[in-house]
Amino acid sequence: MAKDAVDRLTPMGVMVLALLREGDMHPYEMVRLMRARHDDRLLTITNGTLYHTVSRLHRAGLIDELGIDREGNRPERTTYALTDAGREAVMTWVQRELPRIDRPADFRIALAEAHNLERPEVIDILRARRLALVEDHARHRDGLHAAREKSVPEQVLVEIERQEALLAAELGWLDSLLDRLETQVLPWGPSAFQNSDRYRAQRKAAQQ
């Protein structure tokens, strides 16, 4: 997989590729699934943006057209499938963004799609992320302590104070997640949910 192909992926592009890992779909189904799963928590979802993204992915060779269907008075719908290059691209993007602590918006997308990676790999990546978070937390904690020793006014420290608290909370959450992954209490991977009633109901509703 060429690095520039991964670099050009947008968060929407990653989510489209991840959806197609679940099965062949037309863009209307993609939009409906994203909204049913409340993916608008992570990014802005509009029909125009998604259709433009699908077009770009197709031109890049990351997805293929399977055919065009038309039922009754419905508009034509083109069904797409993931190519091998697209499958590799989404996994590479998640592998790259999951350990980073400097791009929180992209991390949320990577975390939402981390189930596309195998459990041992996710554990290793999150351990690397934890090391970076520990360093960043210590930097904020020590900087806050030093500033207070110098009698820096509290009102100019509130942002640092907040960030230190958020980093501490994320470390606590991450430790819990790693424990659940390592003890296999947390089901993991596509096979853990594709056969669930809720999953099947979502796919069926989105296909209407």
Side-chain angles (χ1 to χ4, degrees), residues 1 3 21 27 33 41-42 55 60 67 82 88-89 107-108 116 125-126 140 146 149 165 175 196 200:
M1 168 55 55
K3 181 178 180 296
R21 280 178 62 90
L33 267 178
R41 298 174 298 106
L42 305 173
S55 180
L82 195 63
E88 185 179 347
F107 168 71
R108 292 184 69 194
N116 289 290
I125 292 173
L126 291 179
H140 280 79
E149 282 194 331
D175 284 341
S196 70
R200 288 197 300 268

Side-chain angles (χ1 to χ4, degrees), residues 96 103 119 122 128 133 151 183 186 191:
R96 186 186 72 184
R103 291 155 62 133
R119 184 190 301 266
V122 171
L133 286 171
S151 299
T183 59
L186 179 64
S191 62

